[in-house]
Amino acid sequence: MSVDTEYQWQVGLERGLCQRDEAVEGFEALVVSYNTLLHHTLQLEGDYAHLNDTHTTLRTEHAKLADVGAAANLDAFVAAQKRIAELEWQVTTLKDERSDLYKAQGQHAQRLLSLTDDVRRREEQVRDLETSAKATATQMAKLQQSVDDYFYVLREKDGTIQDEMTALQLELVTKEEKLKRVEQENSQLVERWLRKMNEEAERMNDTNRQLEAERRPPPSVDQLNECLGDENYFGLGRRTSDTNQAPSKVPSIVYKELENPHHGEIHTLHVSHDGTMVATGGQDRRVKVFDSRSGNLKYTLSGCLQSVLHVWFSPTDDLILATSSDNAIRVWALDTGRIQHTLTGHIGKVVSAKFDGEARKIISVSHDRTIKSWDLYRGYCSKTIFSISSCNDLCLMDPQGTTILSGHVDNVLRVWDMQSGNCVREVTGLHDAPITSLAIAPAMTDSPPSLIPPILSAAFIPYSVDHTHLLTNAKDGTLHILDLNTFESVGVLRAEGYRPGSNWARAAFSADGHLVAAGSADGVLFIWNTRTFEVQARVKEHTSPVCAAFWDASGQHFFSAEKDQLVCFWE
Amino acid sequence: MPKLPTDEDRFRKLVWHGKLPIQISLAKEDRAALLGRASPSSPPVYYVMAHRCSYLSLITDDVKAWLEALERAAPDRPSSIKPTQVWYAFNGAPLKWHYPIGLLYDLHSIRHPPGTVSAKPICTTKLPWTITVHLTNFPADRLLRNPSRDTTHHYFMAQYKEAEFMRAGSTKRVMNLPREDQDRLWAGLTTAEFETFWAVNHGAVNADDKDELPRHVAIRLYSRTDSAVVQVPLPLAELGSRTTVGEAIAYALRPEQFATGHPPKFRPEDESDQDAPYMVVLHGIVVSSTTPLLWLTRNLCYPDNFLHVVLL
């Protein structure tokens, strides 16, 4: 089929359909309008019918009403009126009667209520009486009990009085013993005095010998000594060589007790390197320096605004520093007793600080998690290191302070390079609690200490390069001795009942490194032997937590301070 | 929803929107009963513009409303109209409510123009189409009973499925339509919304007709002369896709001749259709017997997808 024909018949069909629709189209409008009209018409018809209905009903009603009006009778009306009045009267009388009855009912109810109240009150009275009877009975029983008790107490007191008597007798005996001992001591002292005199005489002889020797050309060791100069400042040097023969002693006797040196708690103590002075610091914001022999107060150094946390002598003992809760470090010159530096910059309390070997700078650690190095020539902070944990104590590994050790509250020991400010090493797993103090050991060799060249031991006794061991004290009740070459624990010191006294409880090596001392929270001082790692002695003089304990450089004297106002000098 | 191809829709729309004005008058025998004593001299008349694709039973609601209004206008009568008893007649002949209105009109009122046989526009009875409405004496022997809306709906769906069965060989596609789509078919038809109806009809039923031939053509032939209805399944595949409507009718009326291999030939070149035994009337117009049957089934179906062809 061609397109044309297809198209053609389609056109035809379409035309047909269209014509069909055209024929129809006209009707559409017509039908619509027809329907509208039809609708209207029907509505109107309905309305009309309705109106018609209403009209007729109204008319009939009207007619009915008219009929009723006509039929209304006056007589009937009057009779009805009378009847109504009668009924109303009846209603009123009945109403009155009803109200009377209501009233009576109300009164009855009232009486019933009051009666029940009475009954209840009686019951309560009975109950009260019963309880009071019971109370009286118990009171009686109690009184009987107390009578018995008094009997018993009286008998006991009798016993105690007898006990007291025996105790007093015992005391008398002990007092007599003490007297004996004092006499003994007296004789000892006399003996010592004699010995001292002898020594002095010998020293005089020595001096004479030396004077003679000076006339000869001096030996090389003496030359070195002179080059270093100032060795007299390092009284230690002499002492070390003097006492090399005498090992450090376990403290046994308290030869001096200072009671209440501060107004308030004591926080720290330090012994000067020549052993002549002891400094303490405490809550009363003062640093006090005592003579280590007589215990006399030499200086009172004030200036701190809050409590003193840490004091430290410079290697030459001419300066002393104190760190304080007021975030500052203060340095006093001991010859004048005046403040030389006030170093501010920390934003937390400064818990520890140390001088370097030449007192040229101070390195401090603070609660604000920083370690700062202070230049004492210029008097300001030359380096700040940010640590991730706040640190409780520090130690210098070398006299220049280029490498330092810090003990942190996160139980970690860190090693810092002060030049670069980097953390060189972290020693973890040592302690299970915050580290409270660090101390570098003097040489821990069994060889005679005299083998150490006297110059080195003199100049760098606190920071000796030979001294390769570190003591760490921690809140977990253990102390570790570390080899500083390997940073591995050489030995653990622990003791039953040992518990560090505070967050900054300082432990110390003795001058020869053979002993370690640390004070416990209950006031007991523990002395360990570093060769056996055993407790060598426990000494109890203090009654409250010990905050610091130090030997002097000779190892002959020992100093300890407790929180509650007692400083003890031991020998 | 698939897009409707506009080209095809041209004829579908024409078929769909075809309307017929109807004048409905109340039958004489029912006037007295409904309007009582005040029977007006002129019979009450109602006009309606009916869709050719709709059904008489669907306009009964409007007619009933009109009759009730009339009844109210006549006083003191209770409503006596039962919708299932309403029936319509043309010239006394009852009108089958289940045929589309367009088909009824074609069947009853289209005539040859007097004298000529070939003139294209067929002379019809005058418009509007006048029919009567009856309220009593339902001719149950000649009409399907119970001409309600629901019955019409069911009848329509049955026709729809039948047509689908003839085309596709099964009613699966209709049965598988979702409930709401089936409802939409009927709603589209009753509200005469082309888009609603054809969205479903096109998408669900006629979607792939382009590619394959329907198995049979759903065509129904109505003859007025002997009032016979012929429905023969026309195997389109056998007859060929170019079968014309004339050939199809010839096959339907004399299928045995096809079997002998001598199909009666319409002469397509003879446009006057002089020799054509029948005139093919569809949707109120004469359709040339040379029109392709396939095209017709796709474009000029009633909504039930049947080609209701009246033969004159």
Side-chain angles (χ1 to χ4, degrees):
Chain A
M1 195 180 292
S2 73
V3 181
D4 276 353
T5 45
E6 185 179 356
Y7 178 72
Q8 217 172 335
W9 57 254
Q10 281 199 10
V11 167
L13 276 176
E14 195 174 0
R15 196 189 299 138
L17 285 169
C18 289
Q19 276 174 356
R20 183 198 72 184
D21 289 346
E22 272 169 28
V24 166
E25 224 171 283
F27 289 97
E28 175 104 49
L30 202 65
V31 168
V32 170
S33 55
Y34 161 76
N35 277 333
T36 338
L37 284 172
L38 180 70
H39 181 70
H40 274 290
T41 316
L42 289 173
Q43 215 169 7
L44 286 172
E45 269 179 22
D47 287 356
Y48 175 71
H50 180 67
L51 285 171
N52 234 358
D53 285 357
T54 331
H55 181 69
T56 43
T57 44
L58 282 173
R59 188 168 286 176
T60 47
E61 260 176 46
H62 177 73
K64 244 188 251 172
L65 283 171
D67 287 354
V68 170
N73 196 322
L74 199 67
D75 290 347
F77 179 71
V78 169
Q81 203 84 321
K82 217 180 275 176
R83 176 84 186 129
I84 284 167
E86 209 174 301
L87 285 170
E88 269 175 0
W89 182 78
Q90 266 181 18
V91 166
T92 43
T93 47
L94 283 170
K95 265 185 188 165
D96 287 350
E97 222 168 282
R98 195 182 57 180
S99 60
D100 285 350
L101 283 171
Y102 273 139
K103 240 178 259 170
Q105 195 189 8
Q107 279 164 358
H108 285 308
Q110 193 70 35
R111 274 184 63 193
L112 188 67
L113 276 175
S114 59
L115 280 173
T116 41
D117 277 358
D118 270 359
V119 169
R120 207 176 303 140
R121 227 172 293 139
R122 291 276 152 74
E123 271 173 7
E124 264 166 32
Q125 274 173 2
V126 168
R127 216 175 299 138
D128 286 353
L129 284 172
E130 270 172 10
T131 47
S132 63
K134 234 178 265 173
T136 331
T138 47
Q139 224 171 348
M140 224 166 76
K142 243 185 258 172
L143 285 170
Q144 190 67 39
Q145 180 81 31
S146 60
V147 167
D148 290 354
D149 286 354
Y150 282 128
F151 254 110
Y152 181 74
V153 168
L154 266 179
R155 209 172 298 154
E156 225 175 354
K157 272 191 182 159
D158 200 15
T160 31
I161 285 167
Q162 277 185 352
D163 284 354
E164 252 170 57
M165 211 166 76
T166 45
L168 284 170
Q169 270 173 349
L170 264 173
E171 218 177 304
L172 185 67
V173 174
T174 44
K175 281 273 156 77
E176 278 170 355
E177 263 173 293
K178 233 186 214 171
L179 182 67
K180 240 179 262 172
R181 209 168 33 203
V182 166
E183 277 170 354
Q184 225 168 4
E185 228 169 271
N186 193 17
S187 61
Q188 260 179 354
L189 282 171
V190 170
E191 208 176 317
R192 268 176 68 188
W193 181 66
L194 280 175
R195 202 168 58 210
K196 278 265 165 77
M197 290 292 279
N198 284 340
E199 270 176 7
E200 207 154 318
E202 221 167 309
R203 209 173 296 157
M204 286 287 280
N205 290 344
D206 278 355
T207 336
N208 286 341
R209 263 201 299 271
Q210 238 174 351
L211 280 169
E212 273 176 343
E214 262 179 358
R215 284 171 210 149
R216 294 196 296 272
S220 62
V221 173
D222 285 2
Q223 259 179 346
L224 276 168
N225 268 347
E226 272 175 350
C227 287
L228 206 83
D230 286 352
E231 93 188 273
N232 286 342
Y233 275 121
F234 302 96
L236 289 173
R238 272 204 316 277
R239 197 173 298 279
T240 316
S241 45
D242 284 351
T243 54
N244 274 339
Q245 288 79 17
S248 297
K249 280 207 278 187
V250 173
S252 53
I253 301 160
V254 177
Y255 68 84
K256 190 78 200 168
E257 274 189 7
L258 302 175
E259 275 185 12
N260 296 326
H262 288 276
H263 302 294
E265 288 177 3
I266 301 175
H267 286 153
T268 184
L269 173 142
H270 192 229
V271 187
S272 67
H273 297 95
D274 62 8
T276 57
M277 290 177 283
V278 176
T280 58
Q283 209 179 7
D284 64 352
R285 301 172 292 188
R286 288 188 169 74
V287 176
K288 297 202 173 177
V289 181
F290 300 94
D291 186 82
S292 67
R293 293 292 161 269
S294 63
N296 292 337
L297 180 65
K298 286 178 86 171
Y299 305 104
T300 298
L301 307 170
S302 52
C304 291
L305 304 175
Q306 284 175 38
S307 51
V308 176
L309 296 178
H310 177 84
V311 294
W312 204 259
F313 284 96
S314 68
T316 50
D317 292 334
D318 52 357
L319 299 174
I320 185 165
L321 66 80
T323 68
S324 168
S325 300
D326 65 4
N327 309 350
I329 305 152
R330 288 181 179 76
V331 180
W332 288 268
L334 277 177
D335 50 0
T336 58
R338 306 182 82 157
I339 289 184
Q340 222 169 42
H341 297 290
T342 299
L343 307 171
T344 54
H346 279 297
I347 54 167
K349 54 186 175 188
V350 188
V351 295
S352 183
K354 300 271 165 89
F355 285 97
D356 76 341
E358 293 161 39
R360 270 203 308 225
K361 60 183 180 184
I362 286 174
I363 294 167
S364 64
V365 294
S366 163
H367 212 257
D368 64 7
R369 297 192 214 141
T370 58
I371 300 168
K372 281 181 187 278
S373 172
W374 308 86
D375 191 333
L376 285 185
Y377 287 166
R378 285 176 285 181
Y380 58 72
C381 177
S382 58
K383 184 102 196 166
T384 301
I385 297 172
F386 294 93
S387 167
I388 58 158
S389 164
S390 83
C391 139
N392 274 340
D393 200 358
L394 86 159
C395 257
L396 276 61
M397 271 181 80
D398 49 15
Q400 287 75 37
T402 52
T403 312
I404 67 151
L405 297 155
S406 59
H408 291 258
V409 294
D410 62 353
N411 319 346
V412 177
L413 175 74
R414 289 186 174 81
V415 185
W416 305 89
D417 179 15
M418 286 304 279
Q419 228 74 44
S420 63
N422 292 333
C423 181
V424 180
R425 189 164 189 136
E426 282 193 352
V427 185
T428 54
L430 214 54
H431 289 290
D432 302 324
I435 294 172
T436 62
S437 80
L438 301 175
I440 295 250
M444 281 173 56
T445 54
D446 285 326
S447 57
S450 57
L451 288 182
I452 302 167
I455 305 161
L456 288 174
S457 65
F460 301 131
I461 194 73
Y463 315 110
S464 168
V465 285
D466 283 54
H467 301 164
T468 55
H469 290 86
L470 176 75
L471 173 72
T472 62
N473 184 15
K475 288 285 275 182
D476 60 0
T478 60
L479 295 92
H480 278 266
I481 294 178
L482 268 79
D483 189 334
L484 286 180
N485 292 322
T486 60
F487 286 101
E488 272 171 15
S489 182
V490 175
V492 189
L493 307 176
R494 46 165 67 98
E496 203 182 320
Y498 170 68
R499 189 153 58 76
S502 70
N503 281 348
W504 306 289
R506 309 289 187 213
F509 273 113
S510 67
D512 59 3
H514 291 156
L515 298 175
V516 162
S520 172
D522 53 9
V524 180
L525 282 166
F526 288 83
I527 314 292
W528 284 272
N529 189 317
T530 57
R531 277 173 289 199
T532 59
F533 304 114
E534 296 292 335
V535 178
Q536 190 149 343
R538 298 162 201 259
V539 254
K540 167 89 175 174
E541 186 69 27
H542 294 291
T543 53
S544 66
V546 177
C547 50
F550 284 98
W551 269 277
D552 70 359
S554 71
Q556 302 305 307
H557 302 291
F558 183 79
F559 306 91
S560 63
E562 68 169 293
K563 211 167 98 180
D564 269 0
Q565 304 277 50
L566 185 65
V567 179
C568 288
F569 294 13
W570 308 73
E571 63 176 353
Chain B
M1 208 172 274
K3 191 118 174 98
L4 300 177
T6 48
D7 177 36
E8 290 178 8
D9 285 350
R10 195 152 52 104
F11 282 95
R12 287 174 182 169
K13 272 183 180 159
L14 279 169
V15 168
W16 184 269
H17 293 301
K19 284 183 178 175
L20 188 66
I22 305 176
Q23 174 192 318
I24 301 170
S25 52
L26 186 59
K28 264 186 205 137
E29 55 269 34
D30 290 322
R31 273 179 220 162
L34 189 74
L35 306 176
R37 49 181 165 74
S39 178
S41 50
S42 60
V45 171
Y46 182 69
Y47 290 94
V48 71
M49 204 69 183
H51 282 266
R52 292 182 69 100
C53 291
S54 187
Y55 294 87
L56 280 176
S57 48
L58 300 182
I59 62 169
T60 302
D61 283 349
D62 291 342
V63 172
K64 185 170 168 269
W66 163 64
L67 287 173
E68 276 171 355
L70 273 185
E71 197 180 15
R72 245 183 283 119
D76 304 338
R77 290 274 168 172
S79 175
S80 59
I81 301 155
K82 292 174 196 133
T84 53
Q85 292 292 318
V86 174
W87 58 284
Y88 303 88
F90 174 74
N91 281 351
L95 292 172
K96 291 183 167 132
W97 56 266
H98 58 280
Y99 284 1
I101 293 169
L103 172 63
L104 287 173
Y105 177 77
D106 294 352
L107 197 57
H108 287 95
S109 303
I110 291 186
R111 303 192 184 288
H112 282 287
T116 59
V117 180
S118 60
K120 258 291 169 59
I122 309 165
C123 178
T124 64
T125 52
K126 63 174 174 53
L127 289 171
W129 195 36
T130 44
I131 60 174
T132 52
V133 61
H134 296 257
L135 304 179
T136 49
N137 300 329
F138 190 81
D141 53 335
R142 300 181 65 185
L143 295 183
L144 292 178
R145 284 171 201 276
N146 195 18
S148 70
R149 244 181 133 77
D150 276 351
T151 323
T152 316
H153 181 195
H154 294 146
Y155 183 79
F156 169 76
M157 286 315 288
Q159 288 287 99
Y160 193 82
K161 285 170 193 165
E162 191 182 337
E164 175 62 19
F165 184 82
M166 289 177 76
R167 280 156 182 262
S170 86
T171 57
K172 224 185 277 171
R173 275 188 293 192
V174 182
M175 301 308 278
N176 288 349
L177 276 180
R179 183 77 228 161
E180 57 267 30
D181 277 0
Q182 293 197 27
D183 289 347
R184 216 179 291 160
L185 276 177
W186 179 244
L189 183 69
T190 50
T191 57
E193 280 170 19
F194 180 82
E195 277 76 17
T196 312
F197 180 83
W198 273 96
V200 180
N201 192 32
H202 188 275
V205 179
N206 289 351
D208 53 358
D209 275 1
K210 277 276 172 279
D211 306 322
E212 74 183 72
L213 293 174
R215 282 197 190 186
H216 298 101
V217 177
I219 184 165
R220 223 174 252 179
L221 308 174
Y222 300 82
S223 164
R224 194 165 71 224
T225 46
D226 45 8
S227 40
V229 178
V230 179
Q231 180 177 342
V232 175
L234 282 172
L236 202 63
E238 261 176 56
L239 299 174
S241 61
R242 290 189 182 175
T243 312
T244 61
V245 65
E247 286 166 350
I249 290 164
Y251 173 85
L253 297 180
R254 285 188 293 256
E256 69 284 354
Q257 288 202 5
F258 269 66
T260 60
H262 301 287
K265 283 267 188 251
F266 277 75
R267 275 160 298 194
E269 69 274 10
D270 188 359
E271 279 300 314
S272 61
D273 284 342
Q274 282 293 342
D275 291 350
Y278 301 107
M279 213 167 192
V280 182
V281 175
L282 197 54
H283 295 295
I285 57 164
V286 175
V287 177
S288 163
S289 57
T290 56
T291 312
L293 183 65
L294 188 60
W295 188 88
L296 280 181
T297 61
R298 282 179 182 158
N299 291 293
L300 291 187
C301 275
Y302 278 88
D304 54 10
N305 284 332
F306 266 97
L307 277 171
H308 295 294
V309 175
V310 176
L311 300 179
L312 291 180

Short mmCIF file of all heavy atoms in Angstrom, two decimals, chain B residues 141-164:
data_model
loop_
_atom_site.label_atom_id
_atom_site.label_comp_id
_atom_site.label_asym_id
_atom_site.label_seq_id
_atom_site.Cartn_x
_atom_site.Cartn_y
_atom_site.Cartn_z
N ASP B 141 -37.05 -10.19 28.66
CA ASP B 141 -36.78 -11.19 27.61
C ASP B 141 -35.90 -10.62 26.51
O ASP B 141 -35.27 -11.37 25.78
CB ASP B 141 -38.11 -11.71 27.04
CG ASP B 141 -38.97 -10.53 26.58
OD1 ASP B 141 -38.77 -9.41 27.13
OD2 ASP B 141 -39.79 -10.71 25.67
N ARG B 142 -35.81 -9.30 26.41
CA ARG B 142 -35.02 -8.72 25.32
C ARG B 142 -33.78 -7.97 25.79
O ARG B 142 -32.90 -7.67 24.99
CB ARG B 142 -35.93 -7.79 24.50
CG ARG B 142 -37.11 -8.56 23.91
CD ARG B 142 -37.97 -7.66 23.09
NE ARG B 142 -37.27 -7.16 21.93
CZ ARG B 142 -37.79 -6.26 21.11
NH1 ARG B 142 -39.01 -5.80 21.33
NH2 ARG B 142 -37.12 -5.84 20.06
N LEU B 143 -33.76 -7.60 27.05
CA LEU B 143 -32.59 -6.87 27.56
C LEU B 143 -31.96 -7.65 28.71
O LEU B 143 -32.62 -8.45 29.38
CB LEU B 143 -33.01 -5.50 28.12
CG LEU B 143 -33.57 -4.49 27.13
CD1 LEU B 143 -33.85 -3.19 27.86
CD2 LEU B 143 -32.59 -4.26 25.99
N LEU B 144 -30.65 -7.38 28.93
CA LEU B 144 -29.99 -7.97 30.11
C LEU B 144 -30.60 -7.34 31.36
O LEU B 144 -30.92 -6.15 31.37
CB LEU B 144 -28.48 -7.70 30.08
CG LEU B 144 -27.70 -8.41 29.00
CD1 LEU B 144 -26.25 -8.01 29.08
CD2 LEU B 144 -27.84 -9.92 29.14
N ARG B 145 -30.74 -8.17 32.37
CA ARG B 145 -31.36 -7.66 33.60
C ARG B 145 -30.40 -6.74 34.37
O ARG B 145 -29.21 -6.77 34.17
CB ARG B 145 -31.69 -8.84 34.52
CG ARG B 145 -32.89 -9.62 34.09
CD ARG B 145 -32.96 -10.88 34.96
NE ARG B 145 -33.77 -11.90 34.32
CZ ARG B 145 -35.08 -11.95 34.44
NH1 ARG B 145 -35.73 -11.04 35.13
NH2 ARG B 145 -35.76 -12.92 33.84
N ASN B 146 -31.04 -6.01 35.26
CA ASN B 146 -30.31 -5.25 36.30
C ASN B 146 -29.28 -4.28 35.72
O ASN B 146 -28.09 -4.42 35.95
CB ASN B 146 -29.60 -6.27 37.23
CG ASN B 146 -29.14 -5.60 38.51
OD1 ASN B 146 -29.60 -4.52 38.85
ND2 ASN B 146 -28.22 -6.24 39.19
N PRO B 147 -29.76 -3.29 34.95
CA PRO B 147 -28.81 -2.37 34.29
C PRO B 147 -28.24 -1.34 35.27
O PRO B 147 -28.47 -0.14 35.10
CB PRO B 147 -29.66 -1.70 33.23
CG PRO B 147 -31.03 -1.70 33.82
CD PRO B 147 -31.16 -2.92 34.68
N SER B 148 -27.50 -1.78 36.29
CA SER B 148 -26.93 -0.81 37.25
C SER B 148 -25.51 -0.45 36.80
O SER B 148 -24.98 -1.01 35.85
CB SER B 148 -26.90 -1.43 38.65
OG SER B 148 -25.94 -2.45 38.67
N ARG B 149 -24.94 0.47 37.53
CA ARG B 149 -23.57 0.91 37.23
C ARG B 149 -22.59 -0.24 37.41
O ARG B 149 -21.69 -0.45 36.59
CB ARG B 149 -23.20 2.03 38.21
CG ARG B 149 -22.96 3.34 37.56
CD ARG B 149 -22.58 4.34 38.64
NE ARG B 149 -21.40 5.09 38.20
CZ ARG B 149 -21.44 6.07 37.31
NH1 ARG B 149 -22.60 6.40 36.77
NH2 ARG B 149 -20.35 6.72 36.97
N ASP B 150 -22.76 -0.99 38.50
CA ASP B 150 -21.84 -2.09 38.79
C ASP B 150 -21.92 -3.16 37.72
O ASP B 150 -20.90 -3.68 37.26
CB ASP B 150 -22.18 -2.71 40.16
CG ASP B 150 -21.53 -1.93 41.27
OD1 ASP B 150 -20.70 -1.04 40.93
OD2 ASP B 150 -21.84 -2.19 42.44
N THR B 151 -23.14 -3.49 37.33
CA THR B 151 -23.29 -4.51 36.31
C THR B 151 -22.58 -4.07 35.03
O THR B 151 -21.91 -4.86 34.37
CB THR B 151 -24.78 -4.75 36.01
OG1 THR B 151 -25.50 -4.65 37.23
CG2 THR B 151 -24.99 -6.11 35.39
N THR B 152 -22.76 -2.81 34.70
CA THR B 152 -22.12 -2.29 33.50
C THR B 152 -20.60 -2.42 33.61
O THR B 152 -19.93 -2.81 32.65
CB THR B 152 -22.49 -0.82 33.27
OG1 THR B 152 -23.88 -0.68 33.50
CG2 THR B 152 -22.15 -0.38 31.88
N HIS B 153 -20.11 -2.08 34.77
CA HIS B 153 -18.66 -2.19 35.01
C HIS B 153 -18.19 -3.62 34.77
O HIS B 153 -17.25 -3.87 34.03
CB HIS B 153 -18.35 -1.76 36.44
CG HIS B 153 -16.89 -1.80 36.78
ND1 HIS B 153 -16.43 -1.74 38.05
CD2 HIS B 153 -15.80 -1.89 35.98
CE1 HIS B 153 -15.12 -1.79 38.05
NE2 HIS B 153 -14.71 -1.88 36.79
N HIS B 154 -18.90 -4.57 35.36
CA HIS B 154 -18.51 -5.98 35.20
C HIS B 154 -18.60 -6.40 33.74
O HIS B 154 -17.73 -7.09 33.24
CB HIS B 154 -19.39 -6.87 36.07
CG HIS B 154 -19.18 -6.62 37.53
ND1 HIS B 154 -20.18 -6.72 38.46
CD2 HIS B 154 -18.08 -6.22 38.20
CE1 HIS B 154 -19.70 -6.42 39.65
NE2 HIS B 154 -18.43 -6.09 39.51
N TYR B 155 -19.68 -5.97 33.08
CA TYR B 155 -19.85 -6.35 31.69
C TYR B 155 -18.71 -5.77 30.84
O TYR B 155 -18.14 -6.46 29.99
CB TYR B 155 -21.20 -5.86 31.16
CG TYR B 155 -21.44 -6.30 29.74
CD1 TYR B 155 -21.87 -7.60 29.48
CD2 TYR B 155 -21.21 -5.44 28.66
CE1 TYR B 155 -22.06 -8.03 28.19
CE2 TYR B 155 -21.39 -5.87 27.37
CZ TYR B 155 -21.81 -7.17 27.13
OH TYR B 155 -21.98 -7.60 25.86
N PHE B 156 -18.38 -4.52 31.14
CA PHE B 156 -17.30 -3.88 30.38
C PHE B 156 -15.98 -4.63 30.57
O PHE B 156 -15.26 -4.91 29.63
CB PHE B 156 -17.14 -2.42 30.83
CG PHE B 156 -15.90 -1.77 30.28
CD1 PHE B 156 -15.85 -1.37 28.95
CD2 PHE B 156 -14.76 -1.60 31.07
CE1 PHE B 156 -14.71 -0.80 28.43
CE2 PHE B 156 -13.63 -1.04 30.55
CZ PHE B 156 -13.60 -0.64 29.22
N MET B 157 -15.67 -4.98 31.80
CA MET B 157 -14.41 -5.68 32.06
C MET B 157 -14.41 -7.05 31.37
O MET B 157 -13.38 -7.50 30.86
CB MET B 157 -14.17 -5.85 33.56
CG MET B 157 -13.76 -4.56 34.27
SD MET B 157 -12.50 -3.60 33.44
CE MET B 157 -11.07 -4.62 33.72
N ALA B 158 -15.57 -7.70 31.35
CA ALA B 158 -15.67 -9.00 30.68
C ALA B 158 -15.36 -8.84 29.19
O ALA B 158 -14.59 -9.61 28.60
CB ALA B 158 -17.05 -9.61 30.89
N GLN B 159 -15.94 -7.80 28.58
CA GLN B 159 -15.71 -7.53 27.16
C GLN B 159 -14.23 -7.26 26.90
O GLN B 159 -13.65 -7.73 25.95
CB GLN B 159 -16.51 -6.29 26.72
CG GLN B 159 -17.99 -6.52 26.64
CD GLN B 159 -18.34 -7.35 25.42
OE1 GLN B 159 -18.53 -8.57 25.53
NE2 GLN B 159 -18.40 -6.74 24.24
N TYR B 160 -13.68 -6.48 27.84
CA TYR B 160 -12.28 -6.07 27.72
C TYR B 160 -11.38 -7.28 27.72
O TYR B 160 -10.46 -7.42 26.92
CB TYR B 160 -11.96 -5.14 28.90
CG TYR B 160 -10.67 -4.40 28.77
CD1 TYR B 160 -10.62 -3.22 28.02
CD2 TYR B 160 -9.51 -4.84 29.37
CE1 TYR B 160 -9.44 -2.53 27.90
CE2 TYR B 160 -8.33 -4.16 29.25
CZ TYR B 160 -8.30 -2.99 28.51
OH TYR B 160 -7.12 -2.30 28.41
N LYS B 161 -11.69 -8.20 28.64
CA LYS B 161 -10.89 -9.41 28.74
C LYS B 161 -11.09 -10.29 27.51
O LYS B 161 -10.15 -10.93 27.02
CB LYS B 161 -11.26 -10.19 30.00
CG LYS B 161 -10.70 -9.55 31.26
CD LYS B 161 -11.28 -10.18 32.49
CE LYS B 161 -10.98 -9.34 33.70
NZ LYS B 161 -11.82 -9.71 34.83
N GLU B 162 -12.31 -10.32 27.00
CA GLU B 162 -12.59 -11.15 25.82
C GLU B 162 -11.75 -10.64 24.65
O GLU B 162 -11.11 -11.43 23.95
CB GLU B 162 -14.08 -11.08 25.50
CG GLU B 162 -14.50 -12.11 24.45
CD GLU B 162 -15.98 -11.99 24.13
OE1 GLU B 162 -16.74 -11.45 24.96
OE2 GLU B 162 -16.37 -12.44 23.04
N ALA B 163 -11.76 -9.32 24.47
CA ALA B 163 -10.99 -8.75 23.37
C ALA B 163 -9.51 -9.08 23.54
O ALA B 163 -8.82 -9.46 22.59
CB ALA B 163 -11.19 -7.23 23.34
N GLU B 164 -9.04 -8.99 24.80
CA GLU B 164 -7.64 -9.30 25.06
C GLU B 164 -7.33 -10.75 24.75
O GLU B 164 -6.30 -11.08 24.18
CB GLU B 164 -7.35 -8.98 26.53
CG GLU B 164 -5.95 -9.35 26.99
CD GLU B 164 -4.87 -8.59 26.25
OE1 GLU B 164 -5.18 -7.54 25.64
OE2 GLU B 164 -3.71 -9.07 26.24
#
